[in-house]
Amino acid sequence: MAKTRDLLGEAYAQDCPGRSILDHVMSRWGVLVFLALHDQTLRFSELRRVIGGVSEKMLAQTLRTLEEDGFVLRRDFAEVPPRVEYSLTPMGRRLAKHVAALGTWISENTAEVLAAREKHRRQPSAQSRRASTRAQG
């Protein structure tokens, strides 16, 4: 079985063009756009309602970037009032399946992650343990 490092090839290289794609897809708002558009077409205002907490500016910037990358299709109906719809391209839909799998994993494992955070929060930090050990010794 190939190691992850081998599968990623040049991704570890500082100048790898794949890094910018990873940044776009895995950004906070990029992931949520993929999840929201995974199986539907939405207008800008609908998309903004679905993705709670995103500003108009950040959503517009994220959509523009994902459109430039070939993942999102923007359809302008040239009407008054303006009507624009967003959907995923075939390449975007293929990628959205993987993003959705990550979303499913997170959903299924949230309780375990929160429990680990709480356990970690309750443990004294390594720095305070070292200081305590020095004070005792």
Side-chain angles (χ1 to χ4, degrees):
M1 177 178 273
K3 294 182 180 180
T4 302
R5 188 175 204 61
D6 296 335
L7 293 173
L8 294 175
E10 298 292 318
Y12 292 106
Q14 185 174 352
D15 60 348
C16 175
R19 282 191 178 188
S20 67
I21 298 168
L22 184 64
D23 286 344
H24 298 166
V25 171
M26 298 309 294
S27 71
R28 177 181 187 179
W29 306 119
V31 167
L32 295 174
V33 165
F34 276 99
L35 293 174
L37 295 177
H38 184 236
D39 57 1
Q40 62 185 340
T41 297
L42 295 171
R43 293 177 68 174
F44 185 88
S45 58
E46 294 170 324
L47 192 51
R48 188 158 178 231
R49 274 192 296 276
V50 169
I51 304 174
V54 65
S55 70
E56 190 172 313
K57 177 183 175 184
M58 283 308 303
L59 181 56
Q61 182 179 332
T62 300
L63 287 167
R64 192 174 315 108
T65 299
L66 295 176
E67 182 183 7
E68 289 170 4
D69 286 346
F71 299 123
V72 169
L73 177 65
R74 180 183 189 272
R75 184 170 176 211
D76 187 341
F77 290 87
E79 298 174 349
V80 176
R83 182 168 66 120
V84 179
E85 292 181 345
Y86 294 90
S87 60
L88 295 177
T89 64
M91 181 172 59
R93 285 192 301 275
R94 289 192 309 270
L95 179 55
K97 290 177 185 178
H98 299 284
V99 175
L102 176 61
T104 299
W105 185 94
I106 290 169
S107 177
E108 292 172 350
N109 292 277
T110 296
E112 187 177 350
V113 171
L114 294 177
R117 285 181 187 173
E118 182 62 22
K119 181 181 177 185
H120 186 268
R121 186 186 66 76
R122 289 183 178 179
Q123 292 176 349
S125 70
Q127 185 177 12
S128 64
R129 285 192 301 268
R130 284 192 298 267
S132 175
T133 302
R134 278 189 236 129
Q136 293 173 1

